[in-house]
Amino acid sequence: MASATLEKLHQSIRDVPDFPKPGIIFKDITPLLCDGPLFRSAIDLFLERCRAQEIDKVVCIDARGFLFGSAVAYELGLGLVPIRKRGKLPYKTERAAYTLEYGEAEMEMHIDSVQPGERIVLIDDLLATGGTSASAVALIEKVGGVLVEAQFLIELEFLRGREKLEPASVVSFLKY
Ligand code: AMP
C-alpha cells in the first residue's frame, strides 16, 4: 500500500486520554471508520496479507475485530468465527480468561465453529498487552485450529503484547 495512504491511516487514529480509565490513552478508530476510502484502505491492509496465505477461516475478536474480520471473510468467501465476551454466545463454548490493559474478563468461542486442522487467521483492531489475543489463540488451539497469523490494525509496541503470542506470526499495520 502507498506510504501516503498508510500515513493518512496513521493520522486518522484519535488519542482519547483517560478513557475508559485514568492513565489509559484510548486509540479511537471511529474517525477512520466514518471515512469511506480510509475504512476501505484499512480492510485492504488485512486483505493483502490474507491473500498471500492459505486460510480456511477468519476468527475475530469482540467487538471492533468484527468490523474488519467480517469484511475480510466476505471478500475472500471464508467462514467467520466470532470470539465474544463471556455470556454473549448462545451455544456450547470453550472459555479462556485474560487480563486487559484496563481490566479482566473471559472470552468464549463456540465449540463447533472451527474444525480440527483448519487454518485460521485471527483479526482484531488493536494489540495492547496481548492478553485478549493470547486467550483467542488458546481458544483456537483448544478446538484444534491451526493459527496461521494474528493480524492487528494497530499495535501499541511499548506494551510488548506480541511477546505473549510468540511463536505465532504477528502482523500489525499501524504502530504507536
Ligand atoms: P490487550 O488484551 O491488552 O492486548 O487489549 C486488546 C483489546 O483491548 C483489543 O480488543 C482492543 O480493542 C482493546 N484495547 C486495549 N487497549 C486499548 C487502547 N489503548 N485503545 C483502544 N483499544 C484498546
Side-chain angles (χ1 to χ4, degrees):
M1 181 166 294
S3 59
T5 310
L6 271 176
E7 189 49 37
K8 269 193 195 165
L9 285 166
H10 204 272
Q11 284 175 4
S12 73
I13 308 298
R14 173 166 57 199
D15 280 358
V16 181
D18 301 322
F19 182 88
K21 275 188 176 175
I24 301 292
I25 299 176
F26 193 86
K27 294 288 182 192
D28 177 16
I29 61 169
T30 61
L32 179 158
L33 295 176
C34 69
D35 179 316
L38 272 188
F39 183 35
R40 175 172 275 180
S41 297
I43 292 161
D44 285 345
L45 288 168
F46 290 101
L47 277 172
E48 274 171 21
R49 193 74 202 175
C50 288
R51 284 202 172 100
Q53 328 217 26
E54 206 184 299
I55 298 164
D56 297 313
K57 269 183 188 153
V58 176
V59 173
C60 50
I61 300 179
D62 195 349
R64 288 179 293 273
F66 299 169
L67 301 169
F68 302 101
S70 58
V72 169
Y74 170 81
E75 181 64 23
L76 299 180
L78 298 174
L80 177 81
V81 178
I83 287 188
R84 300 213 61 189
K85 286 158 195 152
R86 185 177 176 169
K88 301 280 185 189
L89 287 172
Y91 186 57
K92 293 176 200 159
T93 60
E94 290 288 356
R95 197 174 288 165
Y98 68 105
T99 310
L100 264 177
E101 195 186 357
Y102 45 75
E104 283 192 7
E106 272 182 313
M107 284 295 186
E108 290 183 317
M109 183 169 81
H110 276 156
I111 53 167
D112 59 353
S113 52
V114 169
Q115 303 310 309
E118 280 189 320
R119 293 172 59 82
I120 305 298
V121 67
L122 175 68
I123 289 184
D124 200 5
D125 67 324
L126 185 142
L127 175 63
T129 65
T132 311
S133 40
S135 73
V137 172
L139 288 173
I140 291 164
E141 290 175 348
K142 260 189 195 175
V143 296
V146 177
L147 181 71
V148 174
E149 191 162 81
Q151 300 176 359
F152 304 89
L153 180 65
I154 298 167
E155 179 177 3
L156 304 183
E157 287 185 296
F158 60 96
L159 291 172
R160 302 158 70 113
R162 66 169 57 227
E163 290 175 11
K164 282 210 183 85
L165 300 178
E166 276 168 4
S169 170
V170 178
V171 167
S172 67
F173 306 113
L174 308 174
K175 299 175 201 300
Y176 297 84

